[in-house]
Amino acid sequence: MKLSHFDRFWLAEHQRQRDVAQVHPTDLDQPLNAEHSLEQQVLQRAERCAIQRNELTYVQRWHQSRRLLTLVLGVLASLLGIGTTQALLSQAQPISLLFAVGVLVLPNLMMLLLWALFALRRSKPRGITAFGLQLMYWLQRQPEQAALAASWVEHCQRQRLLTPLMAIVTHGFWLVIATFSAATLVLYLSFNDYAFRWATTILEQPQLMQWAQLIGWLPEVLFGVAVPEQGGTTSTADFSAIAGRWLTLCVLTYALLPRMLCLLGAMLVWAYRLTQLGLDLSEPGYYRVSQALQAQQRGAQVVDADAGDAAEQLVFHYARHGEGELIASLDYEADPSWNAAVSYWGVVASYTQKQALLKQLQAQPVAHLTLRVASSLTPDRSSMRYLASLAPYTQALKVVLIDAAGDTYRAQWQQLLQRYEVNYD
């Protein structure tokens, strides 16, 4: 099976979630192409792991289910469009033009408005997209397939693909309804004789025509077709013919064209964001693997960046006052079975997360600060600099070294922490 650009990043996200749960990557003893960038190596590793676990079969089944579901929804939408028009034209004649416009156009416009109000606010599956995903989850009954499905959603959310994808599904569904509705209307009006009129029960005639002029303004601007007016020298047959053409253009203007433009815009956004796919190697899982790959390519040598004058300049000053306790994990949490305490801040991996923790401590120093560090990580200068930047905002700093399977750098961490008199376990 040939993987697409999207699939490769999807498998990388799936593998990242596995790496977060694992104590230590177990497959990095197999060499990767060192000529590629670090991101390409992570993608290559994810694809290789998927092949070893036979997950490409599940990816293929996912795409088969997606194509089948697309076909089913397309058939359902076409039946809705045909059935709506048939139900309208089966009404007793003459058919109310205002009622016809409401039946063929109003639901589409209302759903378009709801989509604009809610679907763009949060990147969360809604509407027909949520319904389709639930069916996909139901079709993926094996645990491996369910895990891949969850990774698919997470991947789309991280890469900002979920919003344009939901737009494509929603607008595509309603575009099919509008297309078949308009096509059925043209077909029936071309080969059958129907009578139309302006009819109302509670509105006065001037009010009715005001509504008609309001509805007909945009079709008149786009196609130059005025609102049909009943009476005068216009015969009933001529009025019905003009009214039929006007009704068709209203469906085209208010139902088909907006959905077509929205669908085109969503597809352009989707295509653009596909070209912008990338991996944030500071994320938990990616960071650990990227560090292991770099260490492997360096010949597994420890870059002990505290050697030299720059390291000697680090000074740990501690606060005189502080309240409470705070626990955080540096780069990732190495022990998935560990039960986080109430005072657990979370994982501090990216630059943004590190700055957020630092700002919180600056605003409210703590009495005890505990940092959980995986001993499989290489001790480097940046880590020690970050520890030194946290020290002024706590009375007591403690590092808990978490052992991991495979080679570790526990001794190097202990030596480095002893140099700066930082407590550790």
Side-chain angles (χ1 to χ4, degrees), residues 92-381:
Q93 299 186 40
I95 301 172
S96 169
L97 272 176
L98 198 60
F99 175 73
V101 171
V103 170
L104 298 179
V105 171
L106 192 58
N108 203 319
L109 282 179
M110 290 181 61
M111 295 307 297
L112 182 61
L113 178 61
L114 289 176
W115 171 82
L117 289 176
F118 297 106
L120 294 177
R121 294 178 60 184
R122 292 183 60 188
S123 182
K124 179 181 178 181
R126 297 177 183 273
I128 190 68
T129 308
F131 173 73
L133 280 177
Q134 288 299 323
L135 287 180
M136 292 289 289
Y137 289 152
W138 181 78
L139 292 173
Q140 314 299 316
R141 298 186 178 183
Q142 298 184 18
E144 296 85 356
Q145 293 175 306
L148 267 174
S151 300
W152 182 90
V153 176
E154 183 70 18
H155 165 57
C156 289
Q157 289 176 327
R158 285 180 176 272
Q159 301 291 346
R160 299 185 303 131
L161 291 171
L162 190 58
T163 297
L165 178 62
M166 289 191 300
I168 290 173
V169 173
T170 301
H171 297 311
F173 181 78
W174 282 98
L175 178 62
V176 173
I177 293 178
T179 301
F180 276 86
S181 179
T184 305
L185 185 64
V186 171
L187 180 65
Y188 274 61
L189 294 182
S190 299
F191 299 102
N192 289 286
D193 184 17
Y194 291 93
F196 294 96
R197 65 167 181 167
W198 290 111
T200 180
T201 301
I202 61 174
L203 297 177
E204 296 179 357
Q205 194 65 23
Q207 294 175 328
L208 176 62
M209 295 313 299
Q210 287 178 358
W211 278 103
Q213 293 293 336
L214 181 63
I215 296 171
W217 175 80
L218 190 56
E220 184 175 0
V221 171
L222 295 177
F223 304 104
V225 178
V227 175
E229 295 186 4
Q230 204 166 12
T233 59
T234 305
S235 64
T236 302
D238 291 340
F239 174 81
S240 295
I242 297 173
R245 288 191 290 270
W246 181 81
L247 177 61
T248 304
L249 291 176
C250 283
V251 175
L252 179 65
T253 302
Y254 293 112
L256 202 146
L257 284 181
R259 292 292 182 176
M260 187 179 297
L261 293 175
C262 289
L263 178 61
L264 179 60
M267 292 176 69
L268 290 176
V269 174
W270 167 268
Y272 172 75
R273 290 185 179 176
L274 275 182
T275 63
Q276 302 298 312
L277 290 181
L279 300 180
D280 183 359
L281 297 181
S282 65
E283 289 285 342
Y286 288 146
Y287 182 85
R288 178 169 35 164
V289 172
S290 62
Q291 290 292 311
L293 289 174
Q294 289 177 327
Q296 183 186 71
Q297 294 167 11
R298 292 193 302 264
Q301 296 180 357
V302 177
V303 180
D304 192 359
D306 75 326
D309 295 338
E312 298 298 333
Q313 296 174 1
L314 289 179
V315 178
F316 282 69
H317 294 290
Y318 293 93
R320 295 184 178 181
H321 304 283
E323 295 183 0
E325 180 183 8
L326 192 63
I327 305 174
S329 301
L330 187 63
D331 293 326
Y332 73 97
E333 174 50 52
D335 184 4
S337 62
W338 178 65
N339 293 323
V342 178
S343 57
Y344 184 58
W345 191 89
V347 174
V348 185
S350 65
Y351 174 80
T352 303
Q353 292 169 335
K354 291 180 179 180
Q355 291 302 308
L357 176 58
L358 185 60
K359 289 180 180 179
Q360 178 178 329
L361 291 175
Q362 289 173 346
Q364 186 176 0
V366 295
H368 301 280
L369 175 61
T370 302
L371 281 181
R372 297 171 58 85
V373 179
S375 58
S376 59
L377 294 178
T378 305
D380 54 26
R381 183 180 302 166

